Amino acid sequence: MATFDLTSIRAVVFDTDGVVTDTARVHAAAWKHVFDGFLRSRGSAPFDVRADYLAYVDGRPRLDGVRTFLASRGISLPEGGPGDEPDTPTVHGLGRAKDALFVAEIDKHGVAAYPSTVALLHELRHRGCRTAVVSASRHCRAVVSSAGLLHLFDVLVDGADAARLGLPGKPDPALFLEAARRLELPPAGVAVVEDALPGVEAGRRGGFGLVVAVDRGGSRAAAMRAAGADAVVDDLADVRVAGRVPVGRP
């Protein structure tokens, strides 16, 4: 059980994929399709949709995910550029191929939010706590809008902001710190909710008041605590909110 004590925590910053929306599996499936096609031509073992995704891709900006995963296989590719066609054997080409698959899947099937996260967001906002959502993805706003949740966040910081402002990706805390800056709060008064190890580390490195890790698979609690999580939960239904009860509410 984790507790957001609103006497000291003034805002909560949520990661998007895997915390707010059930899109982490869509990202993982898109990565597998792209990487498997590339690896097959090299006679290499396929991309593991859980182990490889969590270790090398989850929570990272798209191009960093390409670089980190390929490095784990001892593969180096030219960087290429943003104009590379999808599936061009470059970092940008593989990244564009993955992005196209992800967008097509979201456009076709829409986005589902985790009910427990939605309930927590309503509870926090009813109690006067501000909320923000962050993502390394440039599609964060479209994803959150598709899920019908944009009105539940005071601040959104995504990959487009990161590119415009030159913010490094997680585990650097820059995305979270930008959210805190826009909320006009010091990191010590802000909680972070993450499901990826780089994001948990970013919360710790940023000096945030509370870092809550969501371990939906129930297999990474020790790693998340080692990365800096103050609390690890299987689902946000396991989070309690205390303090700042609004007027007229028991």
Side-chain angles (χ1 to χ4, degrees):
M1 178 69 71
T3 299
F4 290 131
D5 181 354
L6 303 188
T7 61
S8 58
I9 295 298
R10 310 298 295 175
V12 180
V13 180
F14 293 79
D15 178 51
T16 305
D17 300 307
V19 173
V20 175
T21 58
D22 188 14
T23 40
R25 60 181 179 80
V26 184
H27 282 291
W31 280 120
K32 180 169 177 60
H33 182 88
V34 170
F35 281 137
D36 281 1
F38 172 77
L39 294 168
R40 197 175 299 117
S41 66
R42 292 174 170 252
S44 186
F47 179 84
D48 188 298
V49 76
R50 179 165 178 79
D52 287 331
Y53 177 74
L54 293 176
Y56 306 117
V57 176
D58 190 23
R60 302 178 191 274
R62 186 180 347 123
L63 299 182
D64 284 353
V66 176
R67 297 182 191 104
T68 304
F69 171 68
L70 293 181
S72 77
R73 297 294 181 91
I75 298 172
S76 178
L77 285 182
E79 281 291 304
D84 288 357
E85 290 297 319
D87 286 330
T88 301
T90 62
V91 170
H92 279 268
L94 294 183
R96 285 198 64 195
K98 180 268 171 182
D99 193 50
L101 283 172
F102 176 78
V103 171
E105 186 70 11
I106 293 302
D107 287 346
K108 182 177 180 180
H109 298 292
V111 176
Y114 289 104
S116 58
T117 303
V118 177
L120 176 59
L121 283 164
H122 281 290
E123 178 72 7
L124 288 167
R125 295 179 70 82
H126 274 307
R127 289 176 177 266
C129 182
R130 303 187 73 198
T131 54
V133 64
V134 306
S135 175
S137 171
R138 293 172 181 261
H139 303 298
C140 177
R141 184 173 296 275
V143 165
V144 174
S145 295
S146 178
L149 302 179
L150 198 58
H151 66 291
L152 293 178
F153 297 103
D154 300 294
V155 165
L156 181 149
V157 183
D158 64 6
D161 293 309
R164 178 173 55 84
L165 298 172
L167 304 178
K170 305 167 191 174
D172 191 285
L175 279 174
F176 291 140
L177 291 173
E178 176 63 16
R181 186 189 71 79
R182 295 184 188 186
L183 289 164
E184 300 181 332
L185 291 168
V190 178
V192 166
V193 183
E194 257 287 356
D195 74 320
L197 290 174
V200 172
E201 183 180 344
R204 178 187 59 78
R205 289 172 58 181
F208 287 87
L210 180 69
V211 180
V212 175
V214 182
D215 181 19
R216 297 193 187 278
S219 62
R220 296 184 294 157
M224 286 174 157
R225 289 191 179 91
D230 297 300
V232 181
V233 296
D234 294 334
D235 185 87
L236 290 180
D238 298 327
V239 172
R240 189 173 73 91
V241 183
R244 281 196 281 165
V245 177
V247 174
R249 184 171 177 181

